[in-house]
Amino acid sequence: MKAVILAAGRGTRLFGEGGTAPKVLAKVAGSELLYRHLKLLRDRGVEEFIVVVNPWTEGEIRKALQRWGFPSKVVVNPHPERGNGYSLLQAREHVDGPFILVMGDHVYEEAFLDEALKGKGIIVDSAGSFIDPHEATKVVVEDGYVRDIGKEVEGEFYDTGFFVLDLNIFEHAQRVLEEKGTVEMAEVVKRAVLPYTEVRGYLWMDVDTPKDLERATKAIVRRSRKSAGGDGIISRLLNRRISLILTERLVNRLSPNQATILSTLVGLMAALGALFSVALGGILYQLSSVLDGTDGEIARASLKESALGGWMDSVLDRLVDFCFLLALGLSLGAEVPWEVLSGAIFGSLMVSYTSERYRGATGRDLYGDFPVLLYLGGKRDERIFLIMVLSVLGAVRECLWVLAFWTNARWALAFLWVLRAQRKRGHRPKPMPRP
Amino acid sequence: MKAVILAAGRGTRLFGEGGTAPKVLAKVAGSELLYRHLKLLRDRGVEEFIVVVNPWTEGEIRKALQRWGFPSKVVVNPHPERGNGYSLLQAREHVDGPFILVMGDHVYEEAFLDEALKGKGIIVDSAGSFIDPHEATKVVVEDGYVRDIGKEVEGEFYDTGFFVLDLNIFEHAQRVLEEKGTVEMAEVVKRAVLPYTEVRGYLWMDVDTPKDLERATKAIVRRSRKSAGGDGIISRLLNRRISLILTERLVNRLSPNQATILSTLVGLMAALGALFSVALGGILYQLSSVLDGTDGEIARASLKESALGGWMDSVLDRLVDFCFLLALGLSLGAEVPWEVLSGAIFGSLMVSYTSERYRGATGRDLYGDFPVLLYLGGKRDERIFLIMVLSVLGAVRECLWVLAFWTNARWALAFLWVLRAQRKRGHRPKPMPRP
């Protein structure tokens, strides 16, 4: 399937009257509006994109498309003033069957697209939770088809700017053009008596003003929050709440890798700080733990998740943990309980090692297979919080003892559970459905 | 597809004249002959098994089949003395299309089965590398079909005991029965003028005597050796050579888990031993490293590989490594360079952590993606060998320094390579083949 993306808008409200920057290259939650459409639709099987642009922004959009590498054609609308339907008409000869039409200045969350792609005609929504009802285009329907559409009409639905169309639509657009000299999509939709599909309860909105950009960014960051399974209790109750606020502010400024580096640097500073003041070190350590959430949040919100990025984040987390424990040891001066310290270093790493090795071996999540482990704690967010509290209290020795015991008990219990599961399962072949 | 397994032989040569043990439950390389057929054919898509047994061993075979849980029917041949073709006839009403016929007392390696299942008629082999040519059944062919078959004939091929047949074969067997009162498969094959398929160069043999069992076990252990990619240089040059000899002797006695426990216990003894004599500890540690190869070898040879078993082996390896390093520290008495020791503990674990986390994140092998890492060494077999050498030389301090430096440099370099790879790749979508 192909998708036509209308990107000929001038973005004057976004960049000011004199601006020539293409609106679809405005960044929402760390990624350009156009990139979001391409990435999300490509992930859902769209094979080729036709991007309709205006003559002034053509060069810039071409450059961006080349950088991203999606299979796309650029089509220039020489008369953007003739309306967005006129832009659609420019795509006519590049489409040869049912296709998707997207308003380039809209933003959609993934779940919206999953549903919308199953629909037909104009995709509408009765909630419109993220838009301004006065500005929005309303849709009046009757017997499954559009009866009227426009900003002024009183409809129960909102136009989401997303369409699943067939080639007929070009005939209708052509008629409108011949009659009026300009073509607005609303007019075309009304003439075509399009069917409609409601997709309800998801994030979608059009982005016209800097304020919209900000609102869209916030909404996307909030909605691309990691599923809670991977987080420990401190993360859920404390770290995530702060890191999401930070991410809202950082997502357009930092790449995921830069956020990883930032949290690593703060973590290493914490270790260094602990050499001078254990309490200060502990607080910085907890701060780095909060920051540690932002790289993943930025990656998810900006659609830039990468397996290697996750790997690097984990490896650096281990390094920071080691450095901080080493610093705690050094802070004790002459009499270091180094056996306990070694145990704490080993145990902390083993909590991560056992679950990563499990994923590598089985492709599954250790905590998913043995949810009881979640109740035992010992995850990084929980360990760091404990270290901070005990550091502030000046109880470094006790902290090392608790860590050495807790983390090693934690992975040893995981071991026993896996052993029991393997015993139960044995080497029996998996049951196969019999016909 | 279904498979008929002839398992009505009495195994007198294997268990003595008075024995009633079913021959197909004799263990080769840690698994019963029958289990091997079921497991290997099931893994290759065979959906149901018909196992033909004699009245005296029926109970025992039923029990084994129930324990293993493969979808199978047991059919009793009340007159095993009428020949193996008479056993085949008992399966007649349980087969309804093309099927596989296997002599239960044969053993085949996996690659043989991959090829044989693509064949037609009788599967033959001109090499017969693992069998006694005097005892073997020879096959004479002409124009793609069997012309003669028997122990006495002069044929260029050997009968491998594996057939891909259709229902016709029962007609021929029935005729032979009516004429002679007994049915040998050789006679049936000759009458049916079966097509033949040559499968060349793989391990297959029939198992008649205790000596055959031993030979088959050795051959399977040798041929199920792990691909060299995962082994370090000490493993390839030293450890594997010894562990394979041990595995040949242990595979029928120990389960993979028991071998894991054995090598873990020797490793923990090594750590304990190092408290008294570092040299003794080092040698025991190297011994445990050799033994550490046997669990995987036993699992592969006996077809009992399990993801959880591999996980437990890895986790216990990490524990042994930690305990030994801790013991090295304790052996130094009062002045322990605990920062260096901590570094060695951390680095050793990180070499494993980085590669396991990589597999979990990408599903691929870190060493496969960055083969240069193999040349840097630092794998467990290499670390342990170094520790042994330096322990015997009494150079414990130097040993800790070398380990701390080597292992941490090793994972840090892995990190840099991954970082570079990620930079190069960026967040571009993967190229998609254009039609």
Side-chain angles (χ1 to χ4, degrees), chain A residues 111-128:
Chain A
F112 176 94
L113 294 175
D114 290 335
E115 291 304 310
L117 285 168
K118 294 183 220 150
K120 223 180 133 183
I122 182 170
I123 310 299
V124 299
D125 176 24
S126 61

PDB file of all heavy atoms in Angstrom, chain A residues 111-128:
ATOM      1  N   ALA A 111      -1.217   3.446  18.501  1.00  0.00           N
ATOM      2  CA  ALA A 111      -2.463   2.689  18.603  1.00  0.00           C
ATOM      3  C   ALA A 111      -3.531   3.265  17.676  1.00  0.00           C
ATOM      4  O   ALA A 111      -4.349   2.531  17.117  1.00  0.00           O
ATOM      5  CB  ALA A 111      -2.953   2.687  20.044  1.00  0.00           C
ATOM      6  N   PHE A 112      -3.529   4.592  17.494  1.00  0.00           N
ATOM      7  CA  PHE A 112      -4.471   5.211  16.562  1.00  0.00           C
ATOM      8  C   PHE A 112      -4.265   4.640  15.169  1.00  0.00           C
ATOM      9  O   PHE A 112      -5.212   4.243  14.487  1.00  0.00           O
ATOM     10  CB  PHE A 112      -4.275   6.733  16.535  1.00  0.00           C
ATOM     11  CG  PHE A 112      -5.150   7.427  15.515  1.00  0.00           C
ATOM     12  CD1 PHE A 112      -6.389   7.942  15.875  1.00  0.00           C
ATOM     13  CD2 PHE A 112      -4.753   7.543  14.181  1.00  0.00           C
ATOM     14  CE1 PHE A 112      -7.208   8.564  14.931  1.00  0.00           C
ATOM     15  CE2 PHE A 112      -5.560   8.157  13.228  1.00  0.00           C
ATOM     16  CZ  PHE A 112      -6.789   8.662  13.608  1.00  0.00           C
ATOM     17  N   LEU A 113      -3.007   4.583  14.742  1.00  0.00           N
ATOM     18  CA  LEU A 113      -2.716   4.112  13.389  1.00  0.00           C
ATOM     19  C   LEU A 113      -3.087   2.639  13.212  1.00  0.00           C
ATOM     20  O   LEU A 113      -3.593   2.238  12.158  1.00  0.00           O
ATOM     21  CB  LEU A 113      -1.243   4.337  13.062  1.00  0.00           C
ATOM     22  CG  LEU A 113      -0.841   5.818  12.989  1.00  0.00           C
ATOM     23  CD1 LEU A 113       0.646   5.967  12.772  1.00  0.00           C
ATOM     24  CD2 LEU A 113      -1.617   6.542  11.880  1.00  0.00           C
ATOM     25  N   ASP A 114      -2.828   1.844  14.251  1.00  0.00           N
ATOM     26  CA  ASP A 114      -3.204   0.423  14.164  1.00  0.00           C
ATOM     27  C   ASP A 114      -4.681   0.290  13.814  1.00  0.00           C
ATOM     28  O   ASP A 114      -5.061  -0.540  12.986  1.00  0.00           O
ATOM     29  CB  ASP A 114      -2.933  -0.278  15.501  1.00  0.00           C
ATOM     30  CG  ASP A 114      -1.438  -0.430  15.777  1.00  0.00           C
ATOM     31  OD1 ASP A 114      -0.669  -0.447  14.797  1.00  0.00           O
ATOM     32  OD2 ASP A 114      -1.054  -0.524  16.955  1.00  0.00           O
ATOM     33  N   GLU A 115      -5.507   1.111  14.456  1.00  0.00           N
ATOM     34  CA  GLU A 115      -6.946   1.045  14.217  1.00  0.00           C
ATOM     35  C   GLU A 115      -7.320   1.701  12.887  1.00  0.00           C
ATOM     36  O   GLU A 115      -8.110   1.159  12.106  1.00  0.00           O
ATOM     37  CB  GLU A 115      -7.698   1.742  15.355  1.00  0.00           C
ATOM     38  CG  GLU A 115      -7.628   1.001  16.674  1.00  0.00           C
ATOM     39  CD  GLU A 115      -8.120  -0.422  16.561  1.00  0.00           C
ATOM     40  OE1 GLU A 115      -9.230  -0.629  16.020  1.00  0.00           O
ATOM     41  OE2 GLU A 115      -7.382  -1.345  16.979  1.00  0.00           O
ATOM     42  N   ALA A 116      -6.766   2.876  12.641  1.00  0.00           N
ATOM     43  CA  ALA A 116      -7.154   3.651  11.465  1.00  0.00           C
ATOM     44  C   ALA A 116      -6.880   2.889  10.175  1.00  0.00           C
ATOM     45  O   ALA A 116      -7.652   2.956   9.216  1.00  0.00           O
ATOM     46  CB  ALA A 116      -6.413   4.989  11.461  1.00  0.00           C
ATOM     47  N   LEU A 117      -5.778   2.137  10.157  1.00  0.00           N
ATOM     48  CA  LEU A 117      -5.410   1.423   8.931  1.00  0.00           C
ATOM     49  C   LEU A 117      -6.407   0.319   8.590  1.00  0.00           C
ATOM     50  O   LEU A 117      -6.457  -0.152   7.462  1.00  0.00           O
ATOM     51  CB  LEU A 117      -4.001   0.838   9.068  1.00  0.00           C
ATOM     52  CG  LEU A 117      -2.890   1.888   8.938  1.00  0.00           C
ATOM     53  CD1 LEU A 117      -1.554   1.315   9.381  1.00  0.00           C
ATOM     54  CD2 LEU A 117      -2.801   2.392   7.500  1.00  0.00           C
ATOM     55  N   LYS A 118      -7.202  -0.095   9.586  1.00  0.00           N
ATOM     56  CA  LYS A 118      -8.233  -1.095   9.312  1.00  0.00           C
ATOM     57  C   LYS A 118      -9.508  -0.448   8.790  1.00  0.00           C
ATOM     58  O   LYS A 118     -10.449  -1.140   8.406  1.00  0.00           O
ATOM     59  CB  LYS A 118      -8.568  -1.865  10.598  1.00  0.00           C
ATOM     60  CG  LYS A 118      -7.436  -2.727  11.131  1.00  0.00           C
ATOM     61  CD  LYS A 118      -7.926  -3.496  12.371  1.00  0.00           C
ATOM     62  CE  LYS A 118      -6.863  -3.559  13.448  1.00  0.00           C
ATOM     63  NZ  LYS A 118      -7.442  -3.618  14.814  1.00  0.00           N
ATOM     64  N   GLY A 119      -9.565   0.889   8.833  1.00  0.00           N
ATOM     65  CA  GLY A 119     -10.798   1.591   8.497  1.00  0.00           C
ATOM     66  C   GLY A 119     -10.978   1.839   7.014  1.00  0.00           C
ATOM     67  O   GLY A 119     -10.220   1.345   6.171  1.00  0.00           O
ATOM     68  N   LYS A 120     -11.995   2.635   6.698  1.00  0.00           N
ATOM     69  CA  LYS A 120     -12.351   2.918   5.307  1.00  0.00           C
ATOM     70  C   LYS A 120     -12.879   4.336   5.231  1.00  0.00           C
ATOM     71  O   LYS A 120     -13.624   4.773   6.112  1.00  0.00           O
ATOM     72  CB  LYS A 120     -13.460   1.944   4.880  1.00  0.00           C
ATOM     73  CG  LYS A 120     -13.248   1.375   3.479  1.00  0.00           C
ATOM     74  CD  LYS A 120     -14.346   0.430   3.116  1.00  0.00           C
ATOM     75  CE  LYS A 120     -14.828   0.791   1.714  1.00  0.00           C
ATOM     76  NZ  LYS A 120     -15.943  -0.017   1.255  1.00  0.00           N
ATOM     77  N   GLY A 121     -12.493   5.071   4.184  1.00  0.00           N
ATOM     78  CA  GLY A 121     -12.986   6.432   4.019  1.00  0.00           C
ATOM     79  C   GLY A 121     -12.300   7.397   4.955  1.00  0.00           C
ATOM     80  O   GLY A 121     -11.096   7.328   5.176  1.00  0.00           O
ATOM     81  N   ILE A 122     -13.083   8.305   5.535  1.00  0.00           N
ATOM     82  CA  ILE A 122     -12.509   9.278   6.457  1.00  0.00           C
ATOM     83  C   ILE A 122     -12.514   8.695   7.868  1.00  0.00           C
ATOM     84  O   ILE A 122     -13.502   8.099   8.297  1.00  0.00           O
ATOM     85  CB  ILE A 122     -13.295  10.620   6.392  1.00  0.00           C
ATOM     86  CG1 ILE A 122     -12.652  11.653   7.320  1.00  0.00           C
ATOM     87  CG2 ILE A 122     -14.774  10.408   6.728  1.00  0.00           C
ATOM     88  CD1 ILE A 122     -13.223  13.060   7.114  1.00  0.00           C
ATOM     89  N   ILE A 123     -11.376   8.840   8.568  1.00  0.00           N
ATOM     90  CA  ILE A 123     -11.310   8.348   9.947  1.00  0.00           C
ATOM     91  C   ILE A 123     -11.737   9.496  10.855  1.00  0.00           C
ATOM     92  O   ILE A 123     -11.174  10.596  10.789  1.00  0.00           O
ATOM     93  CB  ILE A 123      -9.886   7.879  10.311  1.00  0.00           C
ATOM     94  CG1 ILE A 123      -9.334   6.928   9.255  1.00  0.00           C
ATOM     95  CG2 ILE A 123      -9.873   7.247  11.698  1.00  0.00           C
ATOM     96  CD1 ILE A 123     -10.112   5.649   9.042  1.00  0.00           C
ATOM     97  N   VAL A 124     -12.755   9.241  11.677  1.00  0.00           N
ATOM     98  CA  VAL A 124     -13.286  10.287  12.547  1.00  0.00           C
ATOM     99  C   VAL A 124     -13.216   9.857  14.001  1.00  0.00           C
ATOM    100  O   VAL A 124     -12.970   8.692  14.302  1.00  0.00           O
ATOM    101  CB  VAL A 124     -14.756  10.615  12.180  1.00  0.00           C
ATOM    102  CG1 VAL A 124     -14.850  11.120  10.753  1.00  0.00           C
ATOM    103  CG2 VAL A 124     -15.640   9.384  12.389  1.00  0.00           C
ATOM    104  N   ASP A 125     -13.424  10.812  14.879  1.00  0.00           N
ATOM    105  CA  ASP A 125     -13.335  10.547  16.316  1.00  0.00           C
ATOM    106  C   ASP A 125     -14.345  11.454  17.000  1.00  0.00           C
ATOM    107  O   ASP A 125     -14.453  12.632  16.652  1.00  0.00           O
ATOM    108  CB  ASP A 125     -11.904  10.855  16.786  1.00  0.00           C
ATOM    109  CG  ASP A 125     -11.745  10.702  18.297  1.00  0.00           C
ATOM    110  OD1 ASP A 125     -12.535   9.968  18.912  1.00  0.00           O
ATOM    111  OD2 ASP A 125     -10.812  11.334  18.853  1.00  0.00           O
ATOM    112  N   SER A 126     -15.086  10.905  17.950  1.00  0.00           N
ATOM    113  CA  SER A 126     -16.077  11.755  18.608  1.00  0.00           C
ATOM    114  C   SER A 126     -15.497  12.431  19.849  1.00  0.00           C
ATOM    115  O   SER A 126     -16.073  13.372  20.363  1.00  0.00           O
ATOM    116  CB  SER A 126     -17.312  10.933  18.984  1.00  0.00           C
ATOM    117  OG  SER A 126     -16.939   9.920  19.887  1.00  0.00           O
ATOM    118  N   ALA A 127     -14.357  11.942  20.354  1.00  0.00           N
ATOM    119  CA  ALA A 127     -13.815  12.497  21.588  1.00  0.00           C
ATOM    120  C   ALA A 127     -13.011  13.769  21.319  1.00  0.00           C
ATOM    121  O   ALA A 127     -13.251  14.809  21.922  1.00  0.00           O
ATOM    122  CB  ALA A 127     -12.928  11.458  22.273  1.00  0.00           C
ATOM    123  N   GLY A 128     -12.045  13.680  20.457  1.00  0.00           N
ATOM    124  CA  GLY A 128     -11.199  14.839  20.144  1.00  0.00           C
ATOM    125  C   GLY A 128     -10.550  15.413  21.377  1.00  0.00           C
ATOM    126  O   GLY A 128     -10.482  16.627  21.561  1.00  0.00           O
TER     127      GLY A 128
END
